Amino acid sequence: MEKIIINGGTSLKGEVSISGAKNAAIAILPATLLIDGICTIENLPDVSDVKQFCSILEILGVKLTWKSKHEVEVDTRNIVKTSELDITRTFRASYYLLGALLGRCGNVQVGLPGGCKLGARPIDLHIKGFEALGANIDLSQGNISATCKRLTGTTIYLDFASVGATINIMLASVLADGTTIIDNAAKEPHIVDVANFLNTMGADIRGAGTDVIKINGVKKLHGDCTYSIVPDQIEAGTFMLAAIATKGDIVVKNCITKHLESVIAKVVEVGGNVDSNGDKLRVWMKKRPSKANVKTLPYPGFPTDLQAQMGVVLSLAEGTSIINESIWDSRFQYTEELNKMGAKITSQGKSAIFEGVNHLIGAPVAASDLRAGAALIIAGIAAKGCTEISNLEHIDRGYENIEEKFRNLGANIKRVQE
Ligand code: EPU
């Protein structure tokens, strides 16, 4: 078993470069299935979720030629199957195969992942969207199949601005007859990135990044293009909050400042400093953070995927803070681990109260999910003494070279095999 060992008490200093966005990559990879041709994707993050999606594509007959660990040529001319039940069941984002293969081949079957550590994860909005476009959906024995003769554009109102449903319906409607309108669409940066990718390949999608996305169906996507994935705003936010929790002074390079406005506002509210210059952000903190209340919301609100990292900052703040989680039912499991490190957090349902403490103390802790893992690394660097983090497979799903990036900022962090 692997563990991360951190000898804490370091103020982070230096520069860190942000990788491509994991959540954009795992939507753009299945989106390539809509092309009957070849395209190249650059700036892919080197993380296990991307590797897993690539294995699924290969099982379906996609030919991948790696130019470097961040760049791959994708040849989707010979799809040999549209059904994969085993790997897909263990990998939530495989639901994007539904929209992509329904659009390209008119039939698809994947294993359905159940609930997960973050709480129930239904896909009813995805299914409603596919049915509105004319697909037949069958759910049985933990699998979902979708079939259609032709998909026909229509107006689809999402009851909740779901990231996954917005992307999946967009994928299904790119090659449909006529015009599809997604109303109350999610606006996260990776939705814009998927739309930009598809438009580069010949799709006609307008309004991505707003509440209403209009997709005019086209006959075919041409491929023969190169697309570079947007920088990961959650990774950038993770390092920004690490600088605040450790009273550091860092420069976050290769990020899009506009995507980080809600995070910058909270950093400033707790007493931190931010200076932006093109695609770089300097973030520094000289004193103990002040208390703040946070409510997670769909973009452009404060992201749920930075809630745990912000929780570390508030554990160390002067005074009492409250976080309300409005996206996921169960995203406070990390608070039990932080309490083992001396934090004083009480969580109930979708809220948690943080009574700030002067310092955290290193302890053995376990990552319950990807972002909880990142939060524990930040806590370990800020804490006095030694922290041991287990369950690293969660962290490896979405952070590229995380120990090396923190080590380059001065943290005493290493991975060991036990
Ligand atoms: N929901 C439904 N029905 C649906 C779809 C969603 O009720 O059909 C509910 C969910 O249960 C949840 C809420 O709507 O309560 C938000 O779900 P959404 O569909 O927006 O999330 P997602 O697409 O499943 C993506 C990210 C998550 C991120 C959320 C919110 C990917 C692969 N995952 O999930 O990322 O937290 O959007 O921004 O893009 C992470 O990276 O750590 C992560 C969990």
Side-chain angles (χ1 to χ4, degrees), residues 22-23 95 121-125 162-164 305 327-328 371:
K22 184 262 289 181
N23 286 345
Y95 56 44
R121 290 186 83 165
I123 58 163
D124 54 311
L125 300 173
S162 151
V163 171
D305 294 344
I327 310 292
W328 299 112
R371 309 303 171 184

Side-chain angles (χ1 to χ4, degrees), residues 17-25 42-47 50 70 193 228-233 235 254 398 400 405:
S17 186
I18 299 308
S19 302
K22 184 262 289 181
N23 286 345
E42 297 176 340
N43 204 30
L44 274 169
D46 183 20
V47 296
V50 164
H70 297 124
D193 211 36
S228 184
I229 289 179
V230 73
D232 195 318
Q233 97 266 22
E235 190 197 10
N254 186 34
E400 175 170 341
K405 288 188 182 186

Side-chain angles (χ1 to χ4, degrees), residues 205-227:
I205 303 173
R206 297 161 196 211
T210 74
D211 289 338
V212 181
I213 303 180
K214 185 173 172 189
I215 303 123
N216 293 314
V218 295
K219 290 269 173 286
K220 147 175 217 310
L221 298 187
H222 50 64
D224 288 333
C225 283
T226 296
Y227 188 81

Side-chain angles (χ1 to χ4, degrees), residues 54-74:
C54 287
S55 318
I56 297 177
L57 290 182
E58 286 180 319
I59 291 171
L60 301 179
V62 175
K63 190 170 163 229
L64 298 176
T65 311
W66 290 90
K67 308 284 178 188
S68 75
K69 64 179 177 175
H70 297 124
E71 183 182 344
V72 68
E73 185 187 84
V74 186

Side-chain angles (χ1 to χ4, degrees), residues 173-180 204 215-219:
S173 48
V174 161
L175 299 176
D177 288 334
T179 298
T180 302
D204 182 358
I215 303 123
N216 293 314
V218 295
K219 290 269 173 286

Side-chain angles (χ1 to χ4, degrees), residues 339-360:
N339 285 345
K340 291 180 191 162
M341 300 176 72
K344 286 195 182 154
I345 312 166
T346 325
S347 70
Q348 194 176 25
K350 291 168 89 170
S351 302
I353 300 171
F354 294 72
E355 237 181 277
V357 296
N358 255 315
H359 56 260
L360 297 171

